[in-house]
């Protein structure tokens, strides 16, 4: 796709995906590409990006509140204590994606992260943010990469630490969602 920014409902130019469905607009304008800090908040984004793998982001976004309810608002300490009963509850919960491998990875990741010092996940993820001065703003969707050297390094580091279900593409989507990179198009009203 080589499309540049397109007019939104208010006439302001936005990334084309941000106006492709009304559900995307508030996420695009108020969240995507904005800095996210805090271990629990980053655990949520990491988990949701893993659940998104192989699916469209709108599928996850529309189920986000279900995910939050099902996973105790992604509080690492709470999810780390989940038992086999909780796992079965999650696999039966129609408000989330009931993929066994993704549920198991989320539970495993919480157990790993529960042993980390407060702020360690935040520091690790943000240590992989590229220098914004070295990245020109994308003019079209074709200019937005799916993988970068930084996302590859982040995925390798997370895997080495025992975090599951995160490859370079998922790591890059996490970087976009959490504001480590600003991939809003040059003419987008939400560009930082």
């Amino acid at each position: 796709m080589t499309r540049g920014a397109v007019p939104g409902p208010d006439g302001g130019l936005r990334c084309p995906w941000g106006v492709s469905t009304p559900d995307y607009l508030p996420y695009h304008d108020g969240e995507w590409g904005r800095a996210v800090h805090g271990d629990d908040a980053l655990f949520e984004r990491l988990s949701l990006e893993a659940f998104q793998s192989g699916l469209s982001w709108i599928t996850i976004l529309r189920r986000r509140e279900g995910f939050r309810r099902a996973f105790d608002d992604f509080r690492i300490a709470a999810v780390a204590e989940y038992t086999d009963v909780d796992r079965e509850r999650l696999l039966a919960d129609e408000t989330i994606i009931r993929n066994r491998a993704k549920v198991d990875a989320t539970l495993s990741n919480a157990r790993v992260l529960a042993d980390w010092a407060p702020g360690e996940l935040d520091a690790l993820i943000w240590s992989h943010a590229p220098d914004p001065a070295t990245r020109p703003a994308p003019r079209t969707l074709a200019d937005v990469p799916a993988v970068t050297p930084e996302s590859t390094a982040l995925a390798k580091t997370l895997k080495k630490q025992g975090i599951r279900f995160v490859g370079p593409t998922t790591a890059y989507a996490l970087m976009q969602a959490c504001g480590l990179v600003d991939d809003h198009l040059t003419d987008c009203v939400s560009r930082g």
Side-chain angles (χ1 to χ4, degrees):
M1 296 182 101
T2 58
R3 293 184 53 195
V6 298
D10 62 359
L13 294 177
R14 288 179 175 79
C15 304
W17 67 267
V19 296
S20 63
T21 178
D23 293 344
Y24 270 148
L25 193 61
Y27 177 73
H28 171 273
D29 286 2
E31 189 172 346
W32 191 76
R34 306 280 189 260
V36 174
H37 287 283
D39 293 342
D40 290 342
L42 289 166
F43 173 59
E44 175 186 2
R45 299 329 188 282
L46 179 66
S47 301
L48 293 178
E49 293 298 343
F51 273 102
Q52 186 271 328
S53 182
L55 302 170
S56 68
W57 179 246
I58 196 65
T59 300
I60 303 304
L61 192 60
R62 288 177 175 157
R63 294 175 185 228
R64 191 174 189 183
E65 290 309 313
F67 276 109
R68 286 176 170 165
R69 280 189 299 277
F71 286 97
D72 283 299
D73 289 321
F74 290 95
R75 289 179 295 114
I76 294 168
V79 178
E81 296 296 324
Y82 280 13
T83 65
D84 287 340
V85 172
D86 294 300
R87 180 179 178 270
E88 293 308 313
R89 170 185 58 81
L90 293 167
L91 292 172
D93 189 335
E94 294 181 3
T95 68
I96 68 170
I97 304 301
R98 297 174 293 168
N99 178 294
R100 186 175 311 277
K102 294 174 183 182
V103 167
D104 288 347
T106 303
L107 301 183
S108 173
N109 292 346
R111 290 182 191 112
V112 168
L113 295 171
D115 290 336
W116 290 20
E120 191 172 351
L121 177 62
D122 191 300
L124 184 147
I125 289 174
W126 278 90
S127 73
H128 289 81
D131 178 357
T134 65
R135 300 189 76 231
R139 294 174 43 98
T140 70
L141 293 179
D143 298 329
V144 178
V147 174
T148 63
E150 295 87 359
S151 74
T152 300
L154 175 57
K156 285 181 182 178
T157 301
L158 288 169
K159 284 181 182 180
K160 185 184 260 187
Q161 297 293 327
I163 302 300
R164 295 171 37 192
F165 229 101
V166 59
T169 303
T170 298
Y172 193 69
L174 174 71
M175 294 170 78
Q176 291 173 306
C178 296
L180 280 74
V181 296
D182 183 356
D183 278 342
H184 286 285
L185 302 182
T186 303
D187 297 329
C188 178
V189 297
S190 294
R191 176 111 190 129

